[in-house]
PDB file of all heavy atoms in Angstrom:
ATOM      1  N   LEU A 325     205.506 174.035 189.694  1.00 98.00           N
ATOM      2  CA  LEU A 325     204.580 174.657 188.612  1.00 98.00           C
ATOM      3  C   LEU A 325     205.371 175.591 187.817  1.00 98.00           C
ATOM      4  O   LEU A 325     205.815 176.713 188.295  1.00 98.00           O
ATOM      5  CB  LEU A 325     203.410 175.301 189.364  1.00 98.00           C
ATOM      6  CG  LEU A 325     202.668 174.445 190.378  1.00 98.00           C
ATOM      7  CD1 LEU A 325     201.830 175.338 191.368  1.00 98.00           C
ATOM      8  CD2 LEU A 325     201.729 173.518 189.695  1.00 98.00           C
ATOM      9  N   PHE A 326     205.546 175.271 186.540  1.00 98.00           N
ATOM     10  CA  PHE A 326     206.485 176.049 185.732  1.00 98.00           C
ATOM     11  C   PHE A 326     205.712 176.831 184.590  1.00 98.00           C
ATOM     12  O   PHE A 326     204.790 176.386 184.111  1.00 98.00           O
ATOM     13  CB  PHE A 326     207.469 175.007 185.122  1.00 98.00           C
ATOM     14  CG  PHE A 326     208.484 175.702 184.331  1.00 98.00           C
ATOM     15  CD1 PHE A 326     209.727 176.188 184.991  1.00 98.00           C
ATOM     16  CD2 PHE A 326     208.480 175.814 182.970  1.00 98.00           C
ATOM     17  CE1 PHE A 326     210.663 176.829 184.234  1.00 98.00           C
ATOM     18  CE2 PHE A 326     209.430 176.410 182.197  1.00 98.00           C
ATOM     19  CZ  PHE A 326     210.562 176.902 182.816  1.00 98.00           C
ATOM     20  N   GLY A 327     206.319 177.975 184.205  1.00 97.00           N
ATOM     21  CA  GLY A 327     205.884 178.667 183.006  1.00 97.00           C
ATOM     22  C   GLY A 327     204.613 179.474 183.131  1.00 97.00           C
ATOM     23  O   GLY A 327     203.855 179.641 182.246  1.00 97.00           O
ATOM     24  N   LEU A 328     204.410 180.065 184.427  1.00 98.00           N
ATOM     25  CA  LEU A 328     203.188 180.786 184.654  1.00 98.00           C
ATOM     26  C   LEU A 328     203.261 182.326 184.385  1.00 98.00           C
ATOM     27  O   LEU A 328     202.286 183.016 184.494  1.00 98.00           O
ATOM     28  CB  LEU A 328     202.739 180.552 186.142  1.00 98.00           C
ATOM     29  CG  LEU A 328     202.199 179.071 186.428  1.00 98.00           C
ATOM     30  CD1 LEU A 328     202.143 178.776 187.822  1.00 98.00           C
ATOM     31  CD2 LEU A 328     200.892 178.812 185.714  1.00 98.00           C
ATOM     32  N   LYS A 329     204.513 182.761 184.145  1.00 97.00           N
ATOM     33  CA  LYS A 329     204.626 184.202 183.917  1.00 97.00           C
ATOM     34  C   LYS A 329     203.846 184.545 182.605  1.00 97.00           C
ATOM     35  O   LYS A 329     203.928 183.925 181.577  1.00 97.00           O
ATOM     36  CB  LYS A 329     206.109 184.549 183.698  1.00 97.00           C
ATOM     37  CG  LYS A 329     206.426 186.039 183.700  1.00 97.00           C
ATOM     38  CD  LYS A 329     207.957 186.153 183.745  1.00 97.00           C
ATOM     39  CE  LYS A 329     208.553 187.457 183.769  1.00 97.00           C
ATOM     40  NZ  LYS A 329     207.898 188.699 183.646  1.00 97.00           N
ATOM     41  N   GLY A 330     203.078 185.676 182.670  1.00 95.00           N
ATOM     42  CA  GLY A 330     202.242 186.070 181.608  1.00 95.00           C
ATOM     43  C   GLY A 330     203.075 186.613 180.398  1.00 95.00           C
ATOM     44  O   GLY A 330     204.310 186.896 180.525  1.00 95.00           O
ATOM     45  N   HIS A 331     202.499 186.694 179.251  1.00 93.00           N
ATOM     46  CA  HIS A 331     203.059 187.207 178.074  1.00 93.00           C
ATOM     47  C   HIS A 331     203.425 188.658 178.304  1.00 93.00           C
ATOM     48  O   HIS A 331     202.750 189.492 178.994  1.00 93.00           O
ATOM     49  CB  HIS A 331     202.130 187.218 176.837  1.00 93.00           C
ATOM     50  CG  HIS A 331     202.815 187.478 175.485  1.00 93.00           C
ATOM     51  ND1 HIS A 331     202.874 188.832 175.078  1.00 93.00           N
ATOM     52  CD2 HIS A 331     203.408 186.752 174.638  1.00 93.00           C
ATOM     53  CE1 HIS A 331     203.641 188.876 173.916  1.00 93.00           C
ATOM     54  NE2 HIS A 331     203.929 187.571 173.605  1.00 93.00           N
ATOM     55  N   LYS A 332     204.606 189.120 177.813  1.00 90.00           N
ATOM     56  CA  LYS A 332     205.150 190.520 178.068  1.00 90.00           C
ATOM     57  C   LYS A 332     204.140 191.665 177.785  1.00 90.00           C
ATOM     58  O   LYS A 332     204.116 192.642 178.418  1.00 90.00           O
ATOM     59  CB  LYS A 332     206.480 190.672 177.471  1.00 90.00           C
ATOM     60  CG  LYS A 332     206.548 190.569 175.944  1.00 90.00           C
ATOM     61  CD  LYS A 332     208.020 190.704 175.500  1.00 90.00           C
ATOM     62  CE  LYS A 332     208.143 190.793 174.015  1.00 90.00           C
ATOM     63  NZ  LYS A 332     207.561 189.710 173.158  1.00 90.00           N
ATOM     64  N   SER A 333     203.346 191.354 176.751  1.00 87.00           N
ATOM     65  CA  SER A 333     202.407 192.433 176.369  1.00 87.00           C
ATOM     66  C   SER A 333     201.201 192.417 177.311  1.00 87.00           C
ATOM     67  O   SER A 333     200.398 193.423 177.164  1.00 87.00           O
ATOM     68  CB  SER A 333     201.973 192.207 174.983  1.00 87.00           C
ATOM     69  OG  SER A 333     201.131 191.013 174.854  1.00 87.00           O
ATOM     70  N   PHE A 334     200.953 191.430 178.063  1.00 86.00           N
ATOM     71  CA  PHE A 334     199.690 191.417 178.849  1.00 86.00           C
ATOM     72  C   PHE A 334     200.022 191.548 180.327  1.00 86.00           C
ATOM     73  O   PHE A 334     199.294 192.070 181.142  1.00 86.00           O
ATOM     74  CB  PHE A 334     198.982 190.017 178.628  1.00 86.00           C
ATOM     75  CG  PHE A 334     197.741 189.875 179.333  1.00 86.00           C
ATOM     76  CD1 PHE A 334     196.496 190.272 178.864  1.00 86.00           C
ATOM     77  CD2 PHE A 334     197.697 189.243 180.619  1.00 86.00           C
ATOM     78  CE1 PHE A 334     195.316 189.971 179.570  1.00 86.00           C
ATOM     79  CE2 PHE A 334     196.552 189.108 181.359  1.00 86.00           C
ATOM     80  CZ  PHE A 334     195.370 189.466 180.838  1.00 86.00           C
ATOM     81  N   GLY A 335     201.228 191.014 180.787  1.00 89.00           N
ATOM     82  CA  GLY A 335     201.666 191.079 182.097  1.00 89.00           C
ATOM     83  C   GLY A 335     200.944 189.942 182.883  1.00 89.00           C
ATOM     84  O   GLY A 335     200.353 189.056 182.380  1.00 89.00           O
ATOM     85  N   GLY A 336     201.093 190.104 184.214  1.00 95.00           N
ATOM     86  CA  GLY A 336     200.412 189.092 185.048  1.00 95.00           C
ATOM     87  C   GLY A 336     200.828 187.781 184.876  1.00 95.00           C
ATOM     88  O   GLY A 336     201.991 187.371 184.530  1.00 95.00           O
ATOM     89  N   MET A 337     199.928 186.791 184.869  1.00 98.00           N
ATOM     90  CA  MET A 337     200.169 185.366 184.818  1.00 98.00           C
ATOM     91  C   MET A 337     199.426 184.794 183.631  1.00 98.00           C
ATOM     92  O   MET A 337     198.455 185.353 183.091  1.00 98.00           O
ATOM     93  CB  MET A 337     199.755 184.632 186.080  1.00 98.00           C
ATOM     94  CG  MET A 337     200.264 185.185 187.363  1.00 98.00           C
ATOM     95  SD  MET A 337     202.088 185.200 187.421  1.00 98.00           S
ATOM     96  CE  MET A 337     202.415 186.502 188.502  1.00 98.00           C
ATOM     97  N   ARG A 338     199.869 183.611 183.246  1.00 98.00           N
ATOM     98  CA  ARG A 338     199.067 182.797 182.239  1.00 98.00           C
ATOM     99  C   ARG A 338     199.327 181.327 182.440  1.00 98.00           C
ATOM    100  O   ARG A 338     200.517 180.932 182.502  1.00 98.00           O
ATOM    101  CB  ARG A 338     199.406 183.257 180.759  1.00 98.00           C
ATOM    102  CG  ARG A 338     198.736 182.303 179.722  1.00 98.00           C
ATOM    103  CD  ARG A 338     198.971 182.759 178.347  1.00 98.00           C
ATOM    104  NE  ARG A 338     200.352 182.992 178.010  1.00 98.00           N
ATOM    105  CZ  ARG A 338     200.827 183.320 176.832  1.00 98.00           C
ATOM    106  NH1 ARG A 338     200.061 183.339 175.770  1.00 98.00           N
ATOM    107  NH2 ARG A 338     202.176 183.530 176.704  1.00 98.00           N
ATOM    108  N   ALA A 339     198.307 180.558 182.508  1.00 98.00           N
ATOM    109  CA  ALA A 339     198.413 179.099 182.601  1.00 98.00           C
ATOM    110  C   ALA A 339     197.827 178.571 181.300  1.00 98.00           C
ATOM    111  O   ALA A 339     196.669 178.691 180.924  1.00 98.00           O
ATOM    112  CB  ALA A 339     197.615 178.523 183.787  1.00 98.00           C
ATOM    113  N   SER A 340     198.795 177.933 180.563  1.00 98.00           N
ATOM    114  CA  SER A 340     198.337 177.233 179.328  1.00 98.00           C
ATOM    115  C   SER A 340     198.140 175.735 179.687  1.00 98.00           C
ATOM    116  O   SER A 340     198.955 175.053 180.222  1.00 98.00           O
ATOM    117  CB  SER A 340     199.372 177.370 178.194  1.00 98.00           C
ATOM    118  OG  SER A 340     199.458 178.767 177.840  1.00 98.00           O
ATOM    119  N   ILE A 341     196.876 175.351 179.439  1.00 98.00           N
ATOM    120  CA  ILE A 341     196.495 173.996 179.826  1.00 98.00           C
ATOM    121  C   ILE A 341     196.052 173.118 178.615  1.00 98.00           C
ATOM    122  O   ILE A 341     194.855 172.761 178.517  1.00 98.00           O
ATOM    123  CB  ILE A 341     195.308 174.015 180.990  1.00 98.00           C
ATOM    124  CG1 ILE A 341     194.249 174.974 180.541  1.00 98.00           C
ATOM    125  CG2 ILE A 341     196.031 174.570 182.239  1.00 98.00           C
ATOM    126  CD1 ILE A 341     193.024 175.036 181.509  1.00 98.00           C
ATOM    127  N   TYR A 342     197.026 172.895 177.701  1.00 98.00           N
ATOM    128  CA  TYR A 342     196.865 172.153 176.624  1.00 98.00           C
ATOM    129  C   TYR A 342     196.491 170.741 176.811  1.00 98.00           C
ATOM    130  O   TYR A 342     196.483 170.231 177.966  1.00 98.00           O
ATOM    131  CB  TYR A 342     198.076 172.287 175.703  1.00 98.00           C
ATOM    132  CG  TYR A 342     198.419 173.637 175.255  1.00 98.00           C
ATOM    133  CD1 TYR A 342     199.716 174.229 175.560  1.00 98.00           C
ATOM    134  CD2 TYR A 342     197.459 174.474 174.594  1.00 98.00           C
ATOM    135  CE1 TYR A 342     200.029 175.536 175.162  1.00 98.00           C
ATOM    136  CE2 TYR A 342     197.873 175.802 174.158  1.00 98.00           C
ATOM    137  CZ  TYR A 342     199.066 176.283 174.470  1.00 98.00           C
ATOM    138  OH  TYR A 342     199.472 177.576 174.129  1.00 98.00           O
ATOM    139  N   ASN A 343     196.150 170.019 175.712  1.00 98.00           N
ATOM    140  CA  ASN A 343     195.805 168.605 175.768  1.00 98.00           C
ATOM    141  C   ASN A 343     196.685 167.751 176.677  1.00 98.00           C
ATOM    142  O   ASN A 343     196.245 166.863 177.446  1.00 98.00           O
ATOM    143  CB  ASN A 343     195.804 167.861 174.464  1.00 98.00           C
ATOM    144  CG  ASN A 343     194.606 168.306 173.524  1.00 98.00           C
ATOM    145  OD1 ASN A 343     193.677 169.011 174.019  1.00 98.00           O
ATOM    146  ND2 ASN A 343     194.701 167.989 172.228  1.00 98.00           N
ATOM    147  N   ALA A 344     198.013 168.027 176.574  1.00 98.00           N
ATOM    148  CA  ALA A 344     198.969 167.173 177.252  1.00 98.00           C
ATOM    149  C   ALA A 344     199.085 167.467 178.824  1.00 98.00           C
ATOM    150  O   ALA A 344     199.807 166.804 179.425  1.00 98.00           O
ATOM    151  CB  ALA A 344     200.333 167.191 176.675  1.00 98.00           C
ATOM    152  N   MET A 345     198.422 168.536 179.199  1.00 98.00           N
ATOM    153  CA  MET A 345     198.393 168.884 180.671  1.00 98.00           C
ATOM    154  C   MET A 345     197.328 168.019 181.380  1.00 98.00           C
ATOM    155  O   MET A 345     196.076 168.257 181.119  1.00 98.00           O
ATOM    156  CB  MET A 345     198.157 170.368 180.874  1.00 98.00           C
ATOM    157  CG  MET A 345     197.983 170.772 182.321  1.00 98.00           C
ATOM    158  SD  MET A 345     199.282 170.375 183.526  1.00 98.00           S
ATOM    159  CE  MET A 345     200.637 171.373 182.776  1.00 98.00           C
ATOM    160  N   PRO A 346     197.732 167.176 182.224  1.00 98.00           N
ATOM    161  CA  PRO A 346     196.681 166.280 182.864  1.00 98.00           C
ATOM    162  C   PRO A 346     195.849 167.164 183.910  1.00 98.00           C
ATOM    163  O   PRO A 346     196.317 168.160 184.411  1.00 98.00           O
ATOM    164  CB  PRO A 346     197.513 165.123 183.594  1.00 98.00           C
ATOM    165  CG  PRO A 346     198.928 165.357 183.227  1.00 98.00           C
ATOM    166  CD  PRO A 346     199.060 166.771 182.609  1.00 98.00           C
TER     167      PRO A 346
END
Side-chain angles (χ1 to χ4, degrees):
L325 307 159
F326 183 84
L328 290 166
K329 193 174 185 343
H331 189 272
K332 59 185 187 303
S333 68
F334 181 90
M337 309 296 157
R338 172 174 51 171
S340 296
I341 48 176
Y342 298 122
N343 285 351
M345 170 59 64

